Amino acid sequence: GTVNTVPAAPAGAKFYLHAMADVPGVLLGNNFLSIFNPVGSGKTVIFYQLILTPWASGAATVTSSMNIFRTTTASAGTLIAASAVNRFVTADPNPVAEVRTGNPTVTTVGTTLLGLPPIVSTTGAGTGAVGSVAIPSGAGFVCQPGEGVVYTTAAGDVDQLWNINVTWAEL
């Protein structure tokens, strides 16, 4: 699935991205990726694009979607070093957003923002359906300090694989 926006970038915005490829599902619930704007950062994080692609390496029968929720905390898991986060301009400073993988601990709020169904596979291989959600023209999905998002499944299958690509700006 895809969330595409085309708003003009605010003056002074710095763009960052994080991509995860071929990440296997797990049998229990799992937080694949968290991007969190820490309290006191003094920055606004604006999400511009999300691309989620499910696929399978073998027969997968679990039907739990990948869901995105807002978060108010994020800890544990594997914190990606700020210096290792990709940026559009290599000379830009490190991002303030904390990028965590490896089942970080989060506190979610509200209902799901987006759900993408997993791969449908009974033969052992395949690709995912493409979905698209458009944000209103001229807008971006905003996280103030103390807010973030998490990409999570309630259950999974090790034969499910997910590609997750997220682009955001900080200002």
Side-chain angles (χ1 to χ4, degrees):
T2 306
V3 175
N4 288 318
T5 62
V6 289
K14 306 296 182 189
F15 279 82
Y16 303 91
L17 64 104
H18 185 75
M20 301 171 64
D22 307 331
V23 181
V26 297
L27 299 180
L28 302 175
N30 186 54
N31 295 327
F32 287 83
L33 174 66
S34 166
I35 301 175
F36 189 74
N37 185 4
V39 172
S41 71
K43 299 279 185 176
T44 299
V45 172
I46 306 168
F47 289 93
Y48 280 86
Q49 184 179 49
L50 163 67
I51 302 170
L52 279 171
T53 307
W55 65 283
S57 61
T61 58
V62 175
T63 58
S64 293
S65 293
M66 174 76 72
N67 287 290
I68 303 170
F69 290 93
R70 275 195 187 270
T71 61
T72 57
T73 64
S75 62
T78 302
L79 178 63
I80 304 299
S83 61
V85 173
N86 290 308
R87 55 211 77 203
F88 281 24
V89 178
T90 57
D92 280 349
N94 289 342
V96 298
E98 296 173 346
V99 178
R100 294 176 185 274
T101 62
N103 204 23
T105 302
V106 300
T107 301
T108 61
V109 293
T111 59
T112 188
L113 300 171
L114 176 68
L116 178 72
I119 183 70
V120 177
S121 175
T122 57
T123 62
T127 62
V130 175
S132 178
V133 175
I135 293 175
S137 179
F141 186 81
V142 176
C143 287
Q144 300 294 338
E147 297 178 340
V149 294
V150 65
Y151 304 83
T152 185
T153 55
D157 183 313
V158 296
D159 293 312
Q160 289 176 326
L161 294 128
W162 298 92
N163 290 350
I164 305 169
N165 301 296
V166 182
T167 301
W168 71 93
E170 296 181 1
L171 108 114

